[in-house]
Amino acid sequence: MPEPTRGLLEAVDVSVRFGGVHALSDVDLRVEAGGITGLIGPNGAGKTTMFNVLTGLVAPTQGRVCLAGEDVTGWPPHRRGRAGMARTFQRLELFARLSVEDNLVASWEAAHPGAVFGRGRRERRARVAEVLDLLGLWEIAGRRAGELPTGVGRLVELGRALCTDPRVLLLDEPSSGLDAGETSRFRDVLLDVVGRSGHGEPSVLLVEHDMALVMEVCDRVTVLDFGSRIAEGTPDEIRADPAVRAAYLGESDVA
């Protein structure tokens, strides 16, 4: 029999306990190359804990994390970042006093050894220019990041992640604080970014409360409730799953 294919990023049998609290219990999660995987669930379901396990901020009580088939469970966050993981946060984490362009430059330099000493200047300029063009940020490239509205700030944060040349993008509620128009723009950019390298990278793991956005952009969706995985499948399968409806979505939210 052929061996089962591996996801680009996988959590296998992951459990996390904080004292007597089971934040995650035997959770499997898989992010395929060239796709967008959604991770949803009610508040307190364990989504942020899973993100922290994947990126190395929290050590699992049991289980493992694999990137491109390699076990990275014991790796610190910076090593995972250098290997191709990039993350955004629910709260905007920009350098407010720096310009938009300098935010991207700082991100590129942090991800490339020797860059702060001037190594790779040509590559840096090319990559930053490419990301500014991709996200439509040239007009505000010289503005301070702290002056920007939330919707534009989210795009800058995405741009910073892209400047690390990620294999996997982990996006934590990227539409938080966005209006309908900004969410629509973010959706279009996200779909344009995925698999852009031609090698199925970057892939995306998306934690999001906007169910319309999740169901529109995701190829697969994993649902957590009280730290356990209760469903996994395509958006249509998740819509139809009675356990998901009972735990989270509700009939009116998935119509």
Side-chain angles (χ1 to χ4, degrees):
M1 293 179 63
E3 293 186 5
T5 58
R6 291 171 172 168
L8 184 57
L9 176 64
E10 292 183 291
V12 182
D13 196 29
V14 166
S15 294
V16 175
R17 299 180 183 88
F18 299 113
V21 177
H22 291 241
L24 292 171
S25 299
D26 305 317
V27 175
D28 292 333
L29 177 67
R30 180 181 175 123
V31 180
E32 300 287 354
I36 302 177
T37 299
L39 179 63
I40 65 173
N43 290 332
K47 304 183 298 295
T48 297
T49 300
M50 176 57 78
F51 256 43
N52 289 339
V53 169
L54 292 172
T55 55
L57 296 176
V58 169
T61 306
Q62 71 173 41
R64 66 186 191 274
V65 175
C66 297
L67 178 64
E70 183 169 7
D71 190 334
V72 301
T73 311
W75 292 13
H78 72 272
R79 187 177 177 189
R80 299 187 199 202
R82 289 277 172 87
M85 286 192 203
R87 176 184 179 172
T88 66
F89 292 83
Q90 294 179 28
R91 184 171 177 268
L92 281 175
E93 299 286 347
L94 301 176
F95 297 119
R97 294 178 179 270
L98 294 183
S99 70
V100 169
E101 184 172 7
D102 284 343
N103 265 270
L104 303 190
V105 168
S107 184
W108 190 93
E109 290 181 344
H112 294 81
V116 294
F117 302 112
R119 185 183 301 169
R121 289 179 181 175
R122 182 180 301 173
E123 292 83 356
R124 182 197 69 195
R125 286 195 297 268
R127 182 56 174 159
V128 169
E130 180 184 15
V131 171
L132 287 169
D133 188 54
L134 173 65
L135 302 184
L137 296 175
W138 274 113
E139 290 186 2
I140 60 165
R143 287 185 59 184
R144 286 188 177 184
E147 301 172 354
L148 302 175
T150 300
V152 179
R154 293 286 182 196
L155 289 177
V156 176
E157 188 175 46
L158 177 60
R160 292 203 331 160
L162 290 173
C163 279
T164 67
D165 298 325
R167 305 184 72 180
V168 185
L169 274 171
L170 294 90
L171 307 181
D172 197 352
E173 298 192 21
S175 76
S176 177
L178 306 191
D179 61 27
E182 291 169 334
T183 299
S184 178
R185 182 186 179 195
F186 190 91
R187 175 203 64 208
D188 293 344
V189 167
L190 188 59
L191 290 171
D192 193 30
V193 162
V194 173
R196 191 176 179 85
S197 70
H199 305 288
E201 300 173 7
S203 299
V204 172
L205 178 61
L206 175 68
V207 165
E208 184 55 66
H209 282 297
D210 185 333
M211 288 300 99
L213 178 62
V214 170
M215 297 301 172
E216 189 170 358
V217 304
C218 291
D219 304 293
R220 308 285 297 183
V221 180
T222 293
V223 187
L224 299 181
D225 191 30
F226 293 108
S228 296
R229 191 180 81 168
I230 62 169
E232 191 279 332
T234 66
D236 286 342
E237 290 169 340
I238 296 302
R239 283 190 184 97
D241 192 301
V244 175
R245 291 181 178 277
Y248 185 50
L249 294 175
E251 294 288 333
S252 62
D253 292 331
V254 293

